[in-house]
Amino acid sequence: YITGRAGTTGFFVNGECIEFGDFSGGPGHHKVFESTDVILGVLETARGAACTMGLMFDYCDISVCSNVTTEHLDLHGIETIEEMAQLKLFIVDSAKKAVVLNADNEYSIDMLKHLEGRIPWIVSSRLSLDELTGLYGTAANYCWAAQNSGAEWVWLKEAGGKETKVLPVSDLQVTFNGQLRYNLNNAMQALCASRAQGVQLEIIRNELSAFSPSYEVNPGRMNFYHGLPFTVLFDYAHNEDGVRQLGAFLDTLEVEGRKIILTTQWEVYDDQEIMRRTTFLAG
């Protein structure tokens, strides 16, 4: 496929950045739809645009809900995490063919009971296949992580098929050898969405293995910079859960000397962004 992608990092065609910026709402989606080259669109659908403008499409083939957490609350009338889950369900419900849900996030997997008629693909980095099928039945497709011959692997079981070892978790660069479990979930969600679209497993293996956490490939997401007198780790971590996950990862890193943490925060008053910088030092 010639793929068009619109999201918070820009508008891309076949992996090439055509325009940099936040295109996760209506204008970005229209860029994908208006391109005469694009055959398949990948659209990050921001809650702000969904609240104010709705969706820029009547339906899609496949939808993915990575998670619902306490972020972007008290904006556009969304006051609670339950209301945010309802908004995201509105987006996910636009899928006519298949849905990809995260069994490790209660609000994501809770959408399953509202999505009758869609083929479910269920992802977990914590639960075993037996636990997943016990909870959600044998008619769904499952992707999970489990040990095999001393290494952790990503596994896939499509409904009616056999269990398949897809690739070692260590091959997924964005998981840092499995330490970043949320990125393991993200990778498995991409795997399921691609399989639901009919992409061959060998192509998925190659692409997931090649995807790196570098600034050039995935800006602002766990980017390491070496070559200075110190090492820099840059991460967006834009909500409570992101900061919590970043902190847990930092605790696993062994360094000589100190870990120095610099945070930059934005606060919004009357729809005007006010930037405030705070620096924390940790021994």
Side-chain angles (χ1 to χ4, degrees):
Y1 302 116
I2 297 176
T3 302
R5 175 165 62 90
T8 50
T9 53
F11 167 51
F12 298 77
V13 175
N14 261 10
E16 179 184 352
C17 183
I18 307 301
E19 195 169 348
F20 185 78
D22 186 353
F23 289 99
S24 58
H29 293 184
H30 276 300
K31 284 181 178 292
V32 173
F33 297 142
E34 291 168 355
S35 172
T36 57
D37 298 321
V38 170
I39 296 173
L40 187 146
V42 180
L43 308 175
E44 180 181 354
T45 307
R47 49 84 216 165
C51 278
T52 55
M53 293 185 286
L55 302 180
M56 299 299 108
F57 48 89
D58 295 322
Y59 65 89
C60 61
D61 292 321
I62 301 158
S63 60
V64 180
C65 180
S66 295
N67 57 55
V68 185
T69 62
T70 53
E71 63 172 330
H72 302 308
L73 299 183
D74 301 321
L75 293 170
H76 304 301
I78 304 297
E79 307 292 337
T80 67
I81 190 171
E82 289 78 15
E83 291 173 341
M84 183 65 74
Q86 284 294 315
L87 173 64
K88 291 194 175 186
L89 175 61
F90 160 69
I91 299 170
V92 173
D93 193 39
S94 63
K96 297 298 184 184
K97 180 180 177 182
V99 293
V100 181
L101 301 174
N102 180 7
D104 297 337
N105 180 268
E106 60 176 311
Y107 293 98
S108 174
I109 195 61
D110 191 56
M111 296 178 184
L112 184 61
K113 60 179 177 280
H114 302 289
L115 297 167
E116 295 85 357
R118 270 57 67 92
I119 301 169
W121 295 74
I122 298 176
V123 165
S124 176
S125 64
R126 302 174 186 169
L127 302 177
S128 68
L129 178 61
D130 287 343
E131 290 172 316
L132 288 167
T133 53
L135 289 168
Y136 310 113
T138 58
N141 305 276
Y142 293 104
C143 187
W144 72 102
Q147 293 288 325
N148 183 266
S149 301
E152 189 176 31
W153 283 71
V154 172
W155 293 75
L156 182 69
K157 187 179 188 304
E158 299 183 43
K162 62 181 182 180
E163 299 174 28
T164 303
K165 283 198 306 183
V166 181
L167 78 171
V169 170
S170 59
D171 283 3
L172 296 167
Q173 300 177 59
V174 292
T175 72
F176 292 91
N177 205 29
Q179 289 177 265
L180 284 184
R181 306 307 285 183
Y182 66 87
N183 266 356
L184 176 56
N185 273 46
N186 289 341
M188 292 193 290
Q189 290 161 29
L191 187 162
C192 288
S194 299
R195 280 301 292 158
Q197 195 65 39
V199 181
Q200 296 175 2
L201 269 181
E202 191 57 34
I203 294 173
I204 296 172
R205 287 189 187 99
N206 293 338
E207 294 302 317
L208 286 179
S209 297
F211 190 82
S212 77
S214 67
Y215 178 82
E216 292 74 21
V217 174
N218 200 23
R221 305 300 198 272
M222 286 292 173
N223 306 147
F224 275 91
Y225 298 86
H226 302 281
L228 298 169
F230 46 84
T231 298
V232 176
L233 168 60
F234 180 73
D235 188 77
Y236 188 39
H238 68 294
N239 57 36
E240 290 180 24
D241 188 58
V243 173
R244 189 179 301 111
Q245 299 279 4
L246 177 60
F249 179 67
L250 288 173
D251 285 342
T252 69
L253 299 180
E254 295 184 4
V255 302
E256 295 181 4
R258 296 184 301 168
K259 297 176 184 177
I260 301 174
I261 303 173
L262 170 67
T263 67
T264 302
Q265 299 167 303
W266 280 264
E267 293 191 356
V268 179
Y269 297 99
D270 299 325
D271 295 326
Q272 292 185 347
E273 290 189 351
I274 301 174
M275 186 173 69
R276 181 182 68 189
R277 287 191 173 92
T278 308
T279 303
F280 298 92
L281 299 180

